[in-house]
Amino acid sequence: MSVLNVFCFSEEDFARELGKRTDDRDVESYVFKELRGESQDALTFLRPRKHPDRLRPLLASLDIADSAIIEIRRVDASLGEVLVAASVAGIERGLVVINAEEGGWVDPDQVKKILEQAGLQTWKIIDKFDPHVVKDVVWNFLDELSEIREERTSKKSCVPIDQHFNVKGVGLVAIGTVQSGSLQKHDNILVTPGGHTGVIRSLQVMDVDVDQANSGDRVGIAIRNMKDGSLERGALISVKGHEDILETHDSSSFKLVQAPFQKREVELGMVIHASIDLQFVVGRVTAIENQRITVEWDAQLTIRTDSDRRLILSQLDSIPMRILGFAIEIKKV
């Protein structure tokens, strides 16, 4: 099974046309499965809720998405922030669906110009919502990303935890998306930060018991020999021995690639947020020297040293454009 995680910014009715809702927390998941050749593949549409009031669900969706669908009902500041966030996250494969609100009109030429300004000139635009057309486009995205998925699966394992709970008769269960590598039944695993250990009792992908979960899979991990309280959202599970790719930072130094349309400069003492692998960590700028910014974090930030995901930086008081950009050349201080 191949799975593609798709960031989906839309009205609820739009998402319901694309898949069956399986999760309705701060990020809703809509899943569509189809038998393609001899493989039953799946599309998971991740729809963040409560934007623009809350930024974290938007960034959490982008943390694990490899493509995007944006429904444009109107052109406003909220749409601009979503497009900038997708650009900063490095989403190269996207589809914009113009579906103007009743009595309104959206100019396709204006949308094209905004996409170009946001650095999303490779995205496609359609001016009518047809769920079959949308899914055909996204299936093509899945096929185009096959080499990237294989490359990620060949790396060492990492699964950011989205949620966790106890199940009677099973024990501790963690839910997350495999960002790199793979997990197998009976693997010995380690939690970072914290250093807690356990053994994988069983795995489920798309509610099906499996022996192995690969990059891109949303997986349920039943764990034995791990204490309650060992997991929290944003903690990273890896196969024991793979933790050398994980670097835990109390302070970080980096260069900032500024987001499109963002005019605010980073200043000493500024409070910023970092988002990566479902972590959302607050920090304060303590130094700026030779284009390098140093931030001391309020809680530990874990960086995958071989990751192709971007560390997105935001400033929650910078209304209406809270996305500052993304970090490069990240070093532990």
Side-chain angles (χ1 to χ4, degrees), residues 152-158 180-182 241-245 306:
R152 287 178 180 165
T153 298
S154 70
K155 293 182 178 182
K156 293 184 178 181
S157 59
C158 180
S180 65
S182 60
H242 289 189
E243 65 273 11
D244 59 335
I245 65 167
D306 67 347

Side-chain angles (χ1 to χ4, degrees), residues 62-76:
L62 290 167
D63 279 346
I64 57 177
D66 285 313
S67 62
I69 294 174
I70 310 290
E71 178 194 23
I72 297 186
R73 305 277 290 166
R74 71 195 72 82
V75 175
D76 56 15

Side-chain angles (χ1 to χ4, degrees), residues 257-269:
V257 178
Q258 196 169 46
F261 308 117
Q262 180 57 261
K263 297 180 180 179
R264 184 167 184 177
E265 298 292 334
V266 174
E267 302 170 349
L268 278 175

